[in-house]
Amino acid sequence: MLKMTGIGKSFQGVRVLSGVDLEAAAGEVHAVVGENGAGKSTLMKILAGVHSPDEGTIEIDGRPVTFGHPIEAQRSGVAIIHQEFNLLPERTVAQNVFLGREPGRWGLVDRAAMESATAELLHSLGEETFGPGDLVRRLSVAQQQVVEIAKALSLNARIVVMDEPTAALAEHEVGLLYALVRRLTARGITVLYISHRLREVFELADRITVLKDGSRVATEAAAGLDTAALVRLMVGRELDAHFPARAGGPPGEVVLSVRGGGNARLRDIDLEVRAGEIVGLAGLQGSGRTELAKALFGAEPFTTGEMRPRRPRSAREGIAAGIGLVTEDRKAEGLLLGQRVRDNALLVARATGGGRPAVEKLLERVRLSPPRPELEVRTLSGGNQQKVVLAKWMTVAPRVLLFDEPTRGVDVGAKAAIHDLMRELARDGTGILMISSELPELIGMSDRVIVLRDGRIAGELPAGATEEAVMHLAAAS
Amino acid sequence: MTGQPRLRPAPARLAALRPLPAGGPARAVYLALALLVVLGWVLFALRGEQFLTMENIVGIQQRSAALGIVAIGQTMVILAGSLDLSVAYLISLTSLVAAETMAGGDGMVVPAIAAVLAVSATVGLVNGLVVTGLRVHAFIATLGVGLIVAGLLDARYDGPAGSVPASFQHLGYDRIGPLPVSALLWAAVAAAAWFLLRRTRLGHRIYAVGGDAEVARLSGVRTGRVVVAAHVICSVCAGIGGLLLASRLGAGAPTVGTDGGYDLESIAAVVLGGTALAGGRGGVAGTVGGVLLLAVLDSVFNQLEIDSFAKDVVRGVVLVAALAIYARGRRTP
Ligand SMILES: Nc1ncnc2c1ncn2[C@@H]1O[C@H](COP(=O)(O)OP(=O)(O)OP(=O)(O)O)[C@@H](O)[C@H]1O
Ligand SMILES: [Mg+2]
């Protein structure tokens, strides 16, 4: 069905892929895994006609193809859900889904047909919270992901590439994606699946291809591998599967507290974070987790309630009060994509006059790869961009750090590094509040878990709570 | 999305907090227009004068028509994420092409119109190709093309040239009932542009490319062609503007476009109408409102006999204030 042979690609003289082979049969789920920067997205972009390969050939159904433009790949039956969002915020859902392929004749757009086809797609995805006429700008990240999926499905493609499709989905939404993937493969469609969540990879994949530093390390049947073996292939060494040990000792003084905090999205928030502890924040998509983080930070401030050390009315005040926020949407809120790694890492330090921290050291500590501060952030792989955001906040050593999905899109090795880092920060006396949609991570890292529901605190669970207990609190009506 | 409980998406609630009326900037500019008319009316009533007499209105429409048509074209390129600074020079050029081809003869009207359309489409094509093919920023590309045109005009003309027949002057001066023909032409161009943006593939893609060229490309849009098409449309609109001015002047003139300040003024009207200078957001309705607002403002000044210095100051203030208001409206997510 699909056969990529000897694919090679360099960007500005830097080799990113060399001699990569990839073969997938009709109806197969073929996972592609590897560390951040291994070249997964680049390989998929070559298949989708976004980049043209320097070497190598692509065959679909035995016929060689070359794509000079994404439209040509689409016409050959390749659809891709990119790792980064590819939607126009100012256009409607239907306009986005059919962008570039608007139905109609004589150059006219048949709006009714477009909207009803979109409605049908959304329905088949079980989506009822928004419709074809809604502006994408008004949708949540998870809803936007659904639009991306609908867009890919609307192509009626025979090869569907999903580059980290679950990165923006909550746990319970992932199940729906599984069902969708199975429906696709039942129709003989080939799915290429990229994810750093190995649980998903084993759940879905028939075969797994491992990339490392731009080369293929192995292609194996999923049944013949286990997590440890796969991690060894990806990282090249054994990796401790456990979360770093908790500090153990009693938590320190209160570094952040809110009484009766509220705004348009939140109500009656009572919360305390102590020095040296990691507080997990759980909740469904839309429960107000991100809003709470932004309120504590001051970006979308509380309008009522008391907060200590003070209630920030802007991000700048939040930073001045010693609070840092690692945002969920790094593209829109976390990074200046056109600027160098160094300038991004120094952004907060410069804005607050925080001296001249040793950037190289910090980048090493977050394990940026390649560790080159002069690169433009735009050219880094998704996971490495996340590490730059982390480095940015570590330059100013805030007393409280709020992490919103800190390991989204980060590879297993780096994830462990970030976990270690968070523990280390806590040990040094930082109070940490962490949002994660990955429950094992949330439970494994947190000293206690606060669960949000509909903008209020639904309850609190001690360390070691079960996933069921968290879900129960998050979803109970 | 699943059988499990899901919360209502919040955005619907946030929408209520937006300080602008639901229609956004396009609605706001008409609100401002209405306000200005009422204000003017009250002001002049207090002075015992009449504001917006029939004559007044016809005058406003006639004066707006040329700028209005050019601004419609400008809307297209700006929505596509580009810009056209060559329109003023192109207006001068096409006024001359029209007047010289007609040379006072009735028989040459149709060929002259064809020649103007061909010349302007060619200039648009060049603009578009320089922007997309050579990847020169639109600001510089269209300024450069405009200067080339200006140079050619300077070399050949030092004053008005050619003449249009009386039959062609109907375009600039006649009315059908209260409506000047030129205003009807403007309305027709605006309606065509509205239809193109709303109902055609090209229109949808103009919004897409202006909104995010990379997203459009990854979605399979051939972005270059879209930008070129927008430039051709813009230049053709400028050509129509040139025809209209030739009809009113009775001749072509090498500086009629630049004297009228059609380049910056058309851009001002577009952004006043709420179209984002960065592209991808806005539309024709706002631009029409923007042009009318500028014209009514002008006629208030004229009637008050304010000197042109103060006029420019007020227009500048209005422009900046409008954009500040639109920016406020967009800050909430
Ligand atoms: N447009 C570009 N210009 C320069 N370098 C690039 C560009 N795109 C990607 N790279 C580089 O190519 C390498 C591979 O990137 P790619 O995005 O394919 O990694 P990935 O395996 O998808 O990683 P992740 O898991 O973090 O998404 C990285 O080192 C990245 O910096
Ligand atoms: Mg990637």
Side-chain angles (χ1 to χ4, degrees), chain A residues 90 104 107 109 111 138 151, chain B residues 10-11 199 201 205 219 330:
Chain A
E90 299 294 337
V109 176
R111 282 200 297 184
R138 305 262 165 98
K151 187 170 161 184
Chain B
R199 294 293 161 81
R201 279 194 194 141
R205 291 172 192 183
S219 304
R330 296 203 51 75

Side-chain angles (χ1 to χ4, degrees), chain A residues 40-42 83-84 163-164 194 381-382:
Chain A
K40 305 179 294 294
S41 296
T42 306
Q83 184 171 9
E84 297 85 26
D163 196 348
E164 303 199 27
I194 298 178
S381 76

Side-chain angles (χ1 to χ4, degrees), chain A residues 11 16 35-42 83 164 196 379-383:
Chain A
F11 287 112
V16 171
E35 293 179 280
N36 294 133
K40 305 179 294 294
S41 296
T42 306
Q83 184 171 9
E164 303 199 27
H196 290 296
T379 67
L380 293 183
S381 76

Side-chain angles (χ1 to χ4, degrees), chain A residues 2 29 33 36 39 61 63 97 111 120 213 216 228 231 237 266 290 294 317 320 359 404-405 417 425 436 461 469:
Chain A
L2 169 70
V29 178
V33 300
N36 294 133
D61 287 335
R63 267 181 295 118
V97 167
R111 282 200 297 184
E120 229 165 81
D213 300 330
R216 186 178 69 159
V231 168
R237 63 190 160 91
L266 301 164
T290 295
K294 285 189 174 169
E317 284 190 14
V359 177
D404 196 352
E405 307 283 1
L425 286 169
S436 174
L461 297 163

Side-chain angles (χ1 to χ4, degrees), chain B residues 107-119:
Chain B
M108 290 304 282
V109 169
V110 173
I113 292 175
V116 163
L117 295 183
V119 165

Side-chain angles (χ1 to χ4, degrees), chain A residues 26-327:
Chain A
E28 173 181 354
V29 178
H30 196 117
V32 180
V33 300
E35 293 179 280
N36 294 133
K40 305 179 294 294
S41 296
T42 306
L43 184 65
M44 294 304 130
K45 284 182 181 169
I46 287 172
L47 176 60
V50 178
H51 299 312
S52 44
D54 299 339
E55 302 132 28
T57 55
I58 306 175
E59 281 175 36
I60 294 179
D61 287 335
R63 267 181 295 118
V65 290
T66 48
F67 303 138
H69 190 278
I71 189 83
E72 292 164 13
Q74 286 181 9
R75 292 199 179 123
S76 295
V78 180
I80 180 164
I81 299 168
H82 286 282
Q83 184 171 9
E84 297 85 26
F85 276 119
N86 270 288
L87 298 173
L88 298 166
E90 299 294 337
R91 305 292 278 168
T92 67
V93 170
Q95 284 165 345
N96 268 284
V97 167
F98 283 99
L99 176 56
R101 297 166 288 105
E102 299 84 358
R105 277 197 279 174
W106 313 115
L108 299 182
V109 176
D110 185 345
R111 282 200 297 184
M114 196 163 92
E115 301 222 330
S116 70
T118 306
E120 229 165 81
L121 279 168
L122 293 179
H123 184 74
S124 76
L125 290 170
E127 179 59 67
E128 263 132 38
T129 57
F130 64 90
D134 289 334
L135 279 187
V136 164
R137 169 158 63 84
R138 305 262 165 98
L139 303 182
S140 71
V141 179
Q143 289 170 322
Q144 292 184 18
Q145 183 64 281
V146 177
V147 178
E148 293 269 14
I149 294 170
K151 187 170 161 184
L153 292 183
S154 74
L155 282 162
N156 281 320
R158 290 174 311 143
I159 300 169
V160 176
V161 180
M162 300 187 176
D163 196 348
E164 303 199 27
T166 55
L169 299 183
E171 293 265 319
H172 66 284
E173 290 163 326
V174 173
L176 224 100
L177 188 83
Y178 288 175
L180 177 77
V181 168
R182 296 203 176 99
R183 250 188 303 163
L184 291 178
T185 51
R187 275 161 39 192
I189 292 168
T190 304
V191 176
L192 296 178
Y193 195 90
I194 298 178
S195 181
H196 290 296
R197 300 186 184 176
L198 299 185
R199 213 208 287 187
E200 290 171 11
V201 169
F202 281 109
E203 178 89 20
L204 285 173
D206 301 307
R207 285 194 292 167
I208 302 174
T209 289
V210 180
L211 292 185
K212 187 167 169 53
D213 300 330
S215 302
R216 186 178 69 159
V217 177
T219 298
E220 306 256 358
L225 283 172
D226 59 16
T227 311
L230 185 57
V231 168
R232 209 177 315 117
L233 284 173
M234 284 167 59
V235 188
R237 63 190 160 91
E238 294 290 337
L239 205 68
D240 191 357
H242 299 289
F243 291 96
R246 296 192 172 80
E253 89 239 45
V254 175
V255 284
L256 179 81
S257 78
V258 193
R259 290 264 145 262
N263 61 22
R265 305 285 309 277
L266 301 164
R267 235 178 306 163
D268 304 331
I269 301 293
D270 293 337
L271 177 108
E272 254 176 24
V273 179
R274 290 172 175 274
E277 73 170 345
I278 298 181
V279 180
L281 192 58
L284 300 181
Q285 191 78 44
S287 59
R289 294 171 305 178
T290 295
E291 289 74 11
L292 176 52
K294 285 189 174 169
L296 293 170
F297 180 57
E300 281 164 28
F302 283 125
T303 47
T304 59
E306 260 178 69
M307 188 169 155
R308 254 159 239 268
R310 66 157 149 170
R311 198 170 87 195
R313 282 164 302 171
S314 68
R316 198 177 164 77
E317 284 190 14
I319 295 169
I323 304 171
L325 171 65
V326 177
T327 51

